[in-house]
Amino acid sequence: MTQWLGTLIEGVMLGGLYALFAAGLSLIFGIMRLVNLAHGDLIVLAAFVVLVVAATLGLDPFVAAVLAAPVLFAFGYALQHLLLNRTLGRDILPPLLVTFGLSIIVQNGLLEAFSADSQRLKAGAVETASLSLGGGLAVGVMPLLTLASAVAVILALNLLFYRTSLGRAFRATADDPEIAQLMGIDNRSIFALAMGVAMTVVAVAALYLGMRANFDPTIGPARLIYAFEAVIIGGLGSFWGTLAGGIVIGLAQTIGARIDPEWQILAGHVAFLVVLVIRPRGLFPRAVD
Amino acid sequence: MAYLETQALTAFYGDFQALYGIDTVLERGETLAIIGANGAGKSTFLKTIAGLLPSAPAAVRLDGQPIGGMPPAKIVRLGISLVPEGRKLFPSLTVEENLLIGAYGSASGAWNLDRVYALFPILAERRRAPSTSLSGGQQQMAAIGRALMANPRILLCDEISLGLAPIVIRSIYAAIPAIKEAGVGLVLVEQDIAQAMAVADRVYCFQEGRLSLSGRPAELTREQIHAAYFGA
Amino acid sequence: MAGAQTPAAGYRAAIGTRATRRVALAGLALFAALLALPGIADRALVQDLIFVFYMLALAQCWNLLAGYAGLISVGQQAFVGLGGYMLFGLAVFAGIDPLLAIVLAGVIAAILALPTALVVFRLRGAYFAIGTWVVAEVYRLVFAQFKQLGGGTGTSLPPEITNTVFGIEFVKDLFGVRTAAARDIILYWAALLLAAGTILAVYLILRSRHGLALAAIRDSEPAAASAGVDNFRTKLWVYVATAAGTGMAGALIYLQKARISPDSAFAVLDWTAYVILIVVIGGIGTIEGPIVGVLVFWLLQTYLASYGTWYLILLGALAILIMLAAPKGLWGYVAERYGLVLFPVRRRLIGPGQR
């Protein structure tokens, strides 16, 4: 019994990590319907940025991430403003192909700059510390922190979206970009801002990606798939839905791994497809499609 | 100097020409009615002024200043606000949020939430409801309120009576005098000729992208309007 | 169109032009020349052309699916890998001749496309794209479980199979070459047939009323439905037909490589990204486009692939540039400028007295 409980807890924690991967994507997909195939690679890129900041300035990864965040915000803003804004429109092929090209460039650029060696963000004792829950159950401090950060990020995004003027502008532009202009909203700036915010969230995701396990330039696409699965399961326009989606994937994976370690990833995909067949719009869709 | 004027205004949808050189004038304090059959180009006319469709710079002038071709966000800031055809409220926003977003790009002024709620009390009652839950008439009121929140100097209204029952149309038009009194210039595109002419100082009639008639409502005969509307 | 409905006096709809007959003759001549090519070409060229032909087949299939039917799939590698594994399975465990196995692989891919479609057709647009990718990943992970086929590390085709492909002895005598070269020539002919076959099949589909239906669906599904088109069925048959073509290509690819692994067979880069790049460079939504695109891609691969990561960065930049600056592709712009059409599929109205 405790073993299964342990598995469930592990699944929820993993879900927190996936929700972090997915949060930035949820924002972008929700506002712009942009399918950013480079999202996973951008998380890896952010992890390398944090690594470099930490190494050069001799800082703890958490502090390095705080310093890297504004840099990544600016990068996201520029990326959207200069490149991705040109791909938006009714056709999904341009953003698909452009972000795929971007994904290739980021991956191979990182390979050239850093080689294929595995890297790690060293956080010290926190990495292996664990908290006892009683009854023979323990949970790692790092996974707990990850989940807590995911919840905090989602709370912050909800606050931004539903309680601020900027958030209203995000939602209005997502509903109807043409009419939003009549409100005095400059779509291109709004999208660039949104991408900037998304990259800041990516910085947080990158921090936990790098501390949790080794990373290298090629692991981007797999994170992208988990992130998309979480966003789509959760439903368009709902950040709590994205958290739920992440947890569904996390639970599916850990339960699958428990049955047979080779089935871990497959179990996640199957769960995704099952949810999609039953509820094509996701579990908690909030925005209008 | 005219408050708002258009000169030889043309508009295209791809290869299709919708407007063939429209000359109109709106003086300060005036209310204009634009009438015409479906497809005559009335909505296109408003959209071009609002910046949703491109035009030559000098084709549209506000207080003498050329504003043709400017992005819509900029035109709102200059004081021209459009109530779009079909209401087009934001479905993800509540009623109050729809009103608030109307003020997004603009400086504050006489129009605020309280004043809009005073004009349309039903909106205050439903302020927290999703905008999609409103009836057609209530949505139209919200759309007008949203446009007013931008504190416009000129309000462009695109078929605000569309799809509404006569009694609802009357209640919406009951708010027009208050808007006029506040000093907002009005351009009303309407298919409900009677209602439009009742509140307008001058009327323009469009027919297949061209001006077919202009004048004061009192001076125009039914035959003239009929001919201008449908073509001889 | 099911027989021209009573056209107004003297008017008829036609598809071909006078140029079409000339192009058709030129095409046949080219096909004959390519058929005879192994007699004079060296082995490297033959192998290169096998690559060109199967990439062209894949590109025509994806173009039909995405360019004409509007189903942007990022998961066609599912059928490439499926075809490859079916080839291995049929040849190794059922003792079926590999050439026949290619055809059967196509059939199996078509059959499996049906339940796959039932899942992914629940989705639209971006969701559909991601869904197809996830499905391909599922295929990959499932095949990695089959230990008999090598599990996660893969397996090779034993020489008893690669050396006894149907026709090898005939080719050895005909051209006086050794077994390996003879196999390449057989595969070359098979690949040529596949490429020509997919072009012909796509052309015929688009000329038929299904082609009209596709164009209607692509422009507006509700409008097409109200005109009597069964959207779901039309899209389903296109998806299944595309899967068959892609599956056959996959079988052929892995017959040539003679070694398969899940990561290779279901690689999104090789079997989807490159294919999409080929179609877009050449011109999406045209039959001529993929032909142009695959030739450009072949040039790029031949001269630049040795630059490793920099070559890939170049390809990524190329994808971005093309999409932003020339979304209609090379052929798209040439065709528009000069009004060229080699494979006419649009209907023209011909009045009385006109030709």
Side-chain angles (χ1 to χ4, degrees):
Chain A
M1 183 59 207
T2 26
Q3 280 210 308
W4 275 103
L5 208 51
T7 303
L8 285 175
I9 295 177
E10 205 188 316
V12 171
M13 300 289 136
L14 184 60
L17 181 66
Y18 290 158
L20 265 180
F21 291 160
L25 198 64
S26 183
L27 202 161
I28 295 305
F29 196 45
I31 297 185
M32 299 183 245
R33 305 291 187 274
L34 182 73
V35 182
N36 184 2
L37 293 181
H39 184 79
D41 302 287
L42 290 176
I43 297 179
V44 174
L45 173 67
F48 272 100
V49 170
V50 174
L51 183 73
V52 167
V53 170
T56 350
L57 299 177
L59 292 169
D60 170 275
F62 288 94
V63 181
V66 171
L67 287 178
V71 174
L72 289 162
F73 178 93
F75 172 77
Y77 191 97
L79 180 67
Q80 186 68 36
H81 194 63
L82 297 172
L83 183 66
L84 297 179
N85 266 342
R86 291 173 213 258
T87 67
L88 295 174
R90 285 183 54 200
D91 194 0
I92 68 161
L93 194 59
L96 216 65
L97 204 61
V98 167
T99 54
F100 197 89
L102 186 65
S103 158
I104 301 278
I105 292 178
V106 169
Q107 262 182 66
N108 287 281
L110 286 173
L111 272 171
E112 276 295 312
F114 295 100
S115 86
D117 291 342
S118 277
Q119 314 280 355
R120 189 68 177 269
L121 288 175
K122 299 203 190 343
V126 184
E127 285 175 33
T128 45
S130 74
L131 216 58
S132 172
L133 296 175
L137 283 174
V139 64
V141 169
M142 187 56 76
L144 199 56
L145 257 177
T146 311
L147 180 64
S149 300
V151 172
V153 163
I154 294 206
L155 268 167
L157 284 174
N158 264 313
L159 261 168
L160 175 66
F161 260 62
Y162 293 99
R163 306 266 175 170
T164 66
S165 167
L166 179 64
R168 258 199 302 277
F170 281 152
R171 284 183 291 141
T173 312
D175 274 347
D176 194 336
E178 193 189 42
I179 302 297
Q181 292 177 84
L182 293 177
M183 310 292 119
I185 295 174
D186 179 1
N187 292 353
R188 292 162 316 161
S189 302
I190 287 284
F191 292 151
L193 264 171
M195 185 55 93
V197 173
M199 281 308 288
T200 315
V201 173
V202 160
V204 179
L207 171 67
Y208 287 102
L209 171 78
M211 289 193 300
R212 178 178 192 269
N214 291 337
F215 64 94
D216 67 72
T218 63
I219 69 167
R223 315 307 123 187
L224 169 73
I225 291 193
Y226 306 148
F228 254 120
E229 289 178 335
V231 172
I232 292 179
I233 288 183
L236 199 64
S238 168
F239 292 116
W240 290 116
T242 302
L243 180 64
I247 291 179
V248 167
I249 301 287
L251 277 172
Q253 283 193 1
T254 32
I255 294 176
R258 191 96 183 355
I259 301 176
D260 182 338
E262 289 195 16
W263 289 8
Q264 177 180 347
I265 301 176
L266 185 59
H269 291 333
V270 170
F272 168 73
L273 292 173
V274 165
V275 170
L276 222 42
V277 168
I278 303 176
R279 306 257 281 193
R281 291 190 64 214
L283 295 173
F284 312 108
R286 208 167 162 175
V288 178
D289 228 324
Chain B
M1 192 188 325
Y3 206 17
L4 176 71
E5 70 175 313
T6 67
Q7 218 175 10
L9 184 68
T10 56
F12 293 84
Y13 289 104
D15 286 335
F16 171 72
Q17 182 157 12
L19 293 177
Y20 291 86
I22 305 286
D23 297 330
T24 60
V25 161
L26 172 76
E27 304 288 356
R28 274 185 174 64
E30 262 198 325
T31 299
L32 281 184
I34 314 256
I35 61 176
N38 266 330
K42 315 186 298 294
S43 286
T44 307
F45 177 67
L46 289 189
K47 281 190 196 162
T48 312
I49 297 178
L52 290 175
L53 289 170
S55 62
V60 186
R61 282 184 207 273
L62 179 66
D63 255 345
Q65 185 197 359
I67 62 168
M70 281 189 184
K74 199 160 177 206
I75 294 189
V76 170
R77 262 174 263 262
L78 288 173
I80 299 180
S81 199
L82 173 69
V83 183
E85 189 182 0
R87 276 81 80 173
K88 303 263 182 88
L89 293 178
F90 296 111
S92 299
L93 273 50
T94 62
V95 172
E96 181 151 307
E97 287 178 324
N98 265 283
L99 295 177
L100 286 172
I101 195 82
Y104 184 82
S106 315
S108 53
W111 291 97
N112 53 26
L113 274 182
D114 290 330
R115 196 158 172 194
V116 171
Y117 287 143
L119 193 61
F120 299 118
I122 184 70
L123 295 181
E125 282 173 50
R126 309 291 307 277
R127 66 205 293 173
R128 303 215 189 287
S131 58
T132 45
S133 68
L134 295 181
S135 72
Q138 292 164 349
Q139 286 193 14
Q140 191 61 72
M141 294 180 191
I144 296 174
R146 182 179 63 177
L148 286 171
M149 289 288 287
N151 279 291
R153 299 195 265 166
I154 296 173
L155 189 67
L156 309 173
C157 294
D158 200 345
E159 302 215 32
I160 55 181
S161 67
L162 193 66
L164 300 178
I167 189 169
V168 177
I169 299 175
R170 276 200 290 278
S171 66
I172 291 180
Y173 268 88
I176 297 288
I179 299 174
K180 275 199 220 196
E181 243 174 279
V184 181
L186 276 173
V187 179
L188 298 160
V189 159
E190 267 304 351
Q191 288 214 39
D192 183 347
I193 305 180
Q195 195 66 260
M197 304 238 290
V199 297
D201 299 313
R202 273 188 309 117
V203 177
Y204 285 103
C205 185
F206 278 42
Q207 205 239 338
E208 289 184 5
R210 291 179 172 81
L211 271 178
S212 54
L213 186 67
S214 73
R216 301 191 172 282
E219 294 162 10
L220 300 173
T221 66
R222 283 194 65 190
E223 288 73 29
Q224 275 180 300
I225 296 172
H226 187 99
Y229 200 98
F230 295 107
Chain C
M1 306 222 285
Q5 275 80 22
T6 44
Y11 285 88
R12 61 190 173 90
I15 299 181
T17 61
R18 294 253 296 282
T20 311
R21 234 150 295 151
R22 272 178 259 153
V23 171
L25 282 170
L28 270 166
L30 180 63
F31 182 77
L34 286 172
L35 212 55
L37 192 67
I40 46 167
D42 68 358
R43 196 168 164 202
L45 180 62
V46 169
Q47 287 175 332
D48 267 4
L49 285 175
I50 295 178
F51 171 79
V52 169
F53 292 151
Y54 67 61
M55 289 307 271
L56 180 56
L58 286 175
Q60 289 292 353
C61 288
W62 191 84
N63 187 33
L64 179 67
L65 193 63
Y68 285 104
L71 294 166
I72 313 249
S73 161
V74 189
Q76 292 305 91
Q77 66 271 21
F79 299 114
V80 172
L82 179 64
Y85 271 99
M86 286 303 107
L87 175 94
F88 270 60
L90 290 169
V92 172
F93 296 114
I96 296 180
D97 179 82
L99 289 183
L100 180 59
I102 292 179
V103 177
L104 289 175
V107 172
I108 296 174
I111 295 174
L112 276 172
L114 284 165
T116 309
L118 284 176
V119 170
V120 294
F121 276 22
R122 307 267 295 167
L123 316 168
R124 287 190 186 293
Y127 290 78
F128 173 79
I130 303 291
T132 56
W133 191 359
V134 174
V135 164
E137 285 295 292
V138 170
Y139 272 72
R140 175 176 71 86
L141 291 165
V142 165
F143 275 97
Q145 300 295 316
F146 290 127
K147 300 290 181 257
Q148 309 90 319
L149 286 167
T153 41
T155 186
S156 303
L157 271 181
E160 312 89 73
I161 294 183
T162 56
N163 289 340
T164 56
V165 177
F166 176 80
I168 280 191
E169 296 306 318
F170 166 72
V171 171
K172 277 166 79 171
D173 295 333
L174 183 66
F175 291 114
V177 291
R178 313 206 14 188
T179 308
R183 181 179 64 249
D184 279 346
I185 294 176
I186 301 263
L187 283 172
Y188 169 90
W189 283 334
L192 174 60
L193 260 174
L194 184 66
T198 43
I199 293 178
L200 196 63
V202 170
Y203 182 54
L204 290 175
I205 291 177
L206 293 176
R207 279 186 62 136
S208 75
R209 59 197 178 98
H210 298 294
L212 257 185
L214 277 178
I217 292 175
R218 186 184 49 185
D219 283 346
S220 164
E221 284 203 41
S226 64
V229 173
D230 186 339
N231 289 353
F232 180 76
R233 263 186 146 182
T234 308
K235 293 198 291 192
L236 183 64
W237 291 128
V238 172
Y239 189 78
V240 167
T242 306
T246 307
M248 283 196 280
L252 192 139
I253 291 168
Y254 283 97
L255 178 57
Q256 197 215 11
K257 289 181 192 277
R259 187 171 207 297
I260 198 169
S261 74
D263 286 345
S264 156
F266 295 98
V268 73
L269 183 69
D270 298 290
W271 312 128
T272 282
Y274 288 162
V275 170
I276 298 183
L277 190 63
I278 287 174
V279 173
V280 171
I281 286 181
I284 191 172
T286 65
I287 297 182
E288 305 86 339
I291 300 176
V292 171
V294 82
L295 291 171
V296 171
F297 187 68
W298 179 30
L299 282 170
L300 287 171
Q301 282 279 107
T302 311
Y303 291 112
L304 299 177
S306 53
Y307 289 100
T309 43
W310 289 110
Y311 172 57
L312 289 170
I313 292 179
L314 174 74
L315 284 183
L318 191 62
I320 293 176
L321 260 161
I322 288 274
M323 217 60 234
L324 294 181
K328 293 208 200 114
L330 291 169
W331 179 262
Y333 285 101
V334 166
E336 206 172 278
R337 184 103 162 56
Y338 298 104
L340 275 176
V341 182
L342 294 179
F343 291 90
V345 292
R346 299 176 87 176
R347 279 112 176 120
R348 306 176 299 128
L349 192 63
I350 302 185
Q354 286 179 290
R355 294 269 229 109

